[in-house]
PDB file of all heavy atoms in Angstrom:
ATOM      1  N   SER A  27      -1.764  -6.939   3.109  1.00  0.00           N
ATOM      2  CA  SER A  27      -1.789  -8.143   2.296  1.00  0.00           C
ATOM      3  C   SER A  27      -1.375  -7.796   0.872  1.00  0.00           C
ATOM      4  O   SER A  27      -1.818  -6.782   0.328  1.00  0.00           O
ATOM      5  CB  SER A  27      -3.203  -8.727   2.263  1.00  0.00           C
ATOM      6  OG  SER A  27      -3.233  -9.829   1.376  1.00  0.00           O
ATOM      7  N   ALA A  28      -0.530  -8.641   0.292  1.00  0.00           N
ATOM      8  CA  ALA A  28      -0.217  -8.461  -1.123  1.00  0.00           C
ATOM      9  C   ALA A  28      -1.461  -8.814  -1.925  1.00  0.00           C
ATOM     10  O   ALA A  28      -2.296  -9.603  -1.473  1.00  0.00           O
ATOM     11  CB  ALA A  28       0.936  -9.369  -1.526  1.00  0.00           C
ATOM     12  N   VAL A  29      -1.636  -8.206  -3.083  1.00  0.00           N
ATOM     13  CA  VAL A  29      -2.725  -8.575  -3.983  1.00  0.00           C
ATOM     14  C   VAL A  29      -2.114  -9.323  -5.167  1.00  0.00           C
ATOM     15  O   VAL A  29      -0.901  -9.294  -5.356  1.00  0.00           O
ATOM     16  CB  VAL A  29      -3.527  -7.327  -4.453  1.00  0.00           C
ATOM     17  CG1 VAL A  29      -4.199  -6.653  -3.282  1.00  0.00           C
ATOM     18  CG2 VAL A  29      -2.643  -6.329  -5.186  1.00  0.00           C
ATOM     19  N   ASP A  30      -2.982 -10.007  -5.941  1.00  0.00           N
ATOM     20  CA  ASP A  30      -2.395 -10.836  -6.995  1.00  0.00           C
ATOM     21  C   ASP A  30      -2.152 -10.038  -8.274  1.00  0.00           C
ATOM     22  O   ASP A  30      -2.453 -10.484  -9.372  1.00  0.00           O
ATOM     23  CB  ASP A  30      -3.239 -12.093  -7.253  1.00  0.00           C
ATOM     24  CG  ASP A  30      -4.660 -11.772  -7.659  1.00  0.00           C
ATOM     25  OD1 ASP A  30      -5.017 -10.574  -7.625  1.00  0.00           O
ATOM     26  OD2 ASP A  30      -5.411 -12.684  -8.009  1.00  0.00           O
ATOM     27  N   SER A  31      -1.649  -8.827  -8.112  1.00  0.00           N
ATOM     28  CA  SER A  31      -1.239  -8.009  -9.260  1.00  0.00           C
ATOM     29  C   SER A  31       0.114  -7.420  -8.905  1.00  0.00           C
ATOM     30  O   SER A  31       0.384  -7.150  -7.734  1.00  0.00           O
ATOM     31  CB  SER A  31      -2.201  -6.845  -9.485  1.00  0.00           C
ATOM     32  OG  SER A  31      -3.527  -7.282  -9.516  1.00  0.00           O
ATOM     33  N   ALA A  32       0.946  -7.201  -9.906  1.00  0.00           N
ATOM     34  CA  ALA A  32       2.299  -6.717  -9.626  1.00  0.00           C
ATOM     35  C   ALA A  32       2.737  -5.680 -10.647  1.00  0.00           C
ATOM     36  O   ALA A  32       2.200  -5.611 -11.756  1.00  0.00           O
ATOM     37  CB  ALA A  32       3.268  -7.900  -9.651  1.00  0.00           C
ATOM     38  N   ALA A  33       3.716  -4.864 -10.234  1.00  0.00           N
ATOM     39  CA  ALA A  33       4.379  -3.952 -11.171  1.00  0.00           C
ATOM     40  C   ALA A  33       5.594  -4.685 -11.722  1.00  0.00           C
ATOM     41  O   ALA A  33       6.284  -5.386 -10.980  1.00  0.00           O
ATOM     42  CB  ALA A  33       4.801  -2.684 -10.437  1.00  0.00           C
ATOM     43  N   ASP A  34       5.824  -4.542 -13.020  1.00  0.00           N
ATOM     44  CA  ASP A  34       7.010  -5.138 -13.651  1.00  0.00           C
ATOM     45  C   ASP A  34       7.894  -4.018 -14.184  1.00  0.00           C
ATOM     46  O   ASP A  34       7.379  -2.979 -14.620  1.00  0.00           O
ATOM     47  CB  ASP A  34       6.599  -6.027 -14.836  1.00  0.00           C
ATOM     48  CG  ASP A  34       5.729  -7.189 -14.393  1.00  0.00           C
ATOM     49  OD1 ASP A  34       5.912  -7.669 -13.262  1.00  0.00           O
ATOM     50  OD2 ASP A  34       4.849  -7.605 -15.180  1.00  0.00           O
ATOM     51  N   ALA A  35       9.199  -4.265 -14.164  1.00  0.00           N
ATOM     52  CA  ALA A  35      10.117  -3.264 -14.719  1.00  0.00           C
ATOM     53  C   ALA A  35      11.199  -3.940 -15.541  1.00  0.00           C
ATOM     54  O   ALA A  35      11.572  -5.091 -15.267  1.00  0.00           O
ATOM     55  CB  ALA A  35      10.761  -2.467 -13.593  1.00  0.00           C
ATOM     56  N   THR A  36      11.680  -3.220 -16.548  1.00  0.00           N
ATOM     57  CA  THR A  36      12.915  -3.637 -17.211  1.00  0.00           C
ATOM     58  C   THR A  36      13.866  -2.441 -17.160  1.00  0.00           C
ATOM     59  O   THR A  36      13.426  -1.280 -17.152  1.00  0.00           O
ATOM     60  CB  THR A  36      12.715  -4.039 -18.689  1.00  0.00           C
ATOM     61  OG1 THR A  36      12.250  -2.905 -19.410  1.00  0.00           O
ATOM     62  CG2 THR A  36      11.736  -5.177 -18.842  1.00  0.00           C
ATOM     63  N   VAL A  37      15.148  -2.726 -17.077  1.00  0.00           N
ATOM     64  CA  VAL A  37      16.165  -1.676 -17.026  1.00  0.00           C
ATOM     65  C   VAL A  37      17.279  -2.040 -17.994  1.00  0.00           C
ATOM     66  O   VAL A  37      17.728  -3.194 -18.035  1.00  0.00           O
ATOM     67  CB  VAL A  37      16.726  -1.535 -15.587  1.00  0.00           C
ATOM     68  CG1 VAL A  37      17.986  -0.670 -15.575  1.00  0.00           C
ATOM     69  CG2 VAL A  37      15.684  -0.948 -14.647  1.00  0.00           C
ATOM     70  N   LYS A  38      17.693  -1.041 -18.776  1.00  0.00           N
ATOM     71  CA  LYS A  38      18.755  -1.260 -19.752  1.00  0.00           C
ATOM     72  C   LYS A  38      19.721  -0.081 -19.659  1.00  0.00           C
ATOM     73  O   LYS A  38      19.272   1.079 -19.600  1.00  0.00           O
ATOM     74  CB  LYS A  38      18.109  -1.289 -21.146  1.00  0.00           C
ATOM     75  CG  LYS A  38      18.780  -2.167 -22.106  1.00  0.00           C
ATOM     76  CD  LYS A  38      17.879  -2.360 -23.326  1.00  0.00           C
ATOM     77  CE  LYS A  38      18.726  -3.012 -24.352  1.00  0.00           C
ATOM     78  NZ  LYS A  38      19.104  -2.502 -25.488  1.00  0.00           N
ATOM     79  N   LYS A  39      21.012  -0.355 -19.648  1.00  0.00           N
ATOM     80  CA  LYS A  39      21.994   0.742 -19.660  1.00  0.00           C
ATOM     81  C   LYS A  39      21.768   1.560 -20.930  1.00  0.00           C
ATOM     82  O   LYS A  39      21.498   0.999 -21.993  1.00  0.00           O
ATOM     83  CB  LYS A  39      23.412   0.174 -19.644  1.00  0.00           C
ATOM     84  CG  LYS A  39      23.801  -0.374 -18.280  1.00  0.00           C
ATOM     85  CD  LYS A  39      25.204  -0.941 -18.303  1.00  0.00           C
ATOM     86  CE  LYS A  39      25.405  -1.855 -17.107  1.00  0.00           C
ATOM     87  NZ  LYS A  39      26.357  -2.918 -17.288  1.00  0.00           N
ATOM     88  N   ALA A  40      21.867   2.906 -20.794  1.00  0.00           N
ATOM     89  CA  ALA A  40      21.590   3.769 -21.946  1.00  0.00           C
ATOM     90  C   ALA A  40      22.749   4.732 -22.181  1.00  0.00           C
ATOM     91  O   ALA A  40      23.780   4.651 -21.507  1.00  0.00           O
ATOM     92  CB  ALA A  40      20.299   4.523 -21.685  1.00  0.00           C
ATOM     93  N   GLN A  41      22.547   5.661 -23.122  1.00  0.00           N
ATOM     94  CA  GLN A  41      23.601   6.626 -23.456  1.00  0.00           C
ATOM     95  C   GLN A  41      23.584   7.827 -22.513  1.00  0.00           C
ATOM     96  O   GLN A  41      24.611   8.302 -22.072  1.00  0.00           O
ATOM     97  CB  GLN A  41      23.399   7.144 -24.904  1.00  0.00           C
ATOM     98  CG  GLN A  41      23.576   6.092 -25.977  1.00  0.00           C
ATOM     99  CD  GLN A  41      24.982   5.513 -25.971  1.00  0.00           C
ATOM    100  OE1 GLN A  41      25.960   6.229 -25.784  1.00  0.00           O
ATOM    101  NE2 GLN A  41      25.090   4.201 -26.136  1.00  0.00           N
ATOM    102  N   LYS A  42      22.359   8.303 -22.207  1.00  0.00           N
ATOM    103  CA  LYS A  42      22.270   9.573 -21.510  1.00  0.00           C
ATOM    104  C   LYS A  42      21.009   9.625 -20.631  1.00  0.00           C
ATOM    105  O   LYS A  42      19.940   9.246 -21.087  1.00  0.00           O
ATOM    106  CB  LYS A  42      22.172  10.693 -22.559  1.00  0.00           C
ATOM    107  CG  LYS A  42      22.574  12.049 -22.059  1.00  0.00           C
ATOM    108  CD  LYS A  42      22.801  13.013 -23.243  1.00  0.00           C
ATOM    109  CE  LYS A  42      22.937  14.425 -22.710  1.00  0.00           C
ATOM    110  NZ  LYS A  42      21.728  15.199 -22.769  1.00  0.00           N
TER     111      LYS A  42
END
Side-chain angles (χ1 to χ4, degrees):
S27 175
V29 297
D30 59 354
S31 310
D34 298 328
T36 62
V37 168
K38 212 167 169 246
K39 286 179 198 152
Q41 294 299 320
K42 201 165 169 263

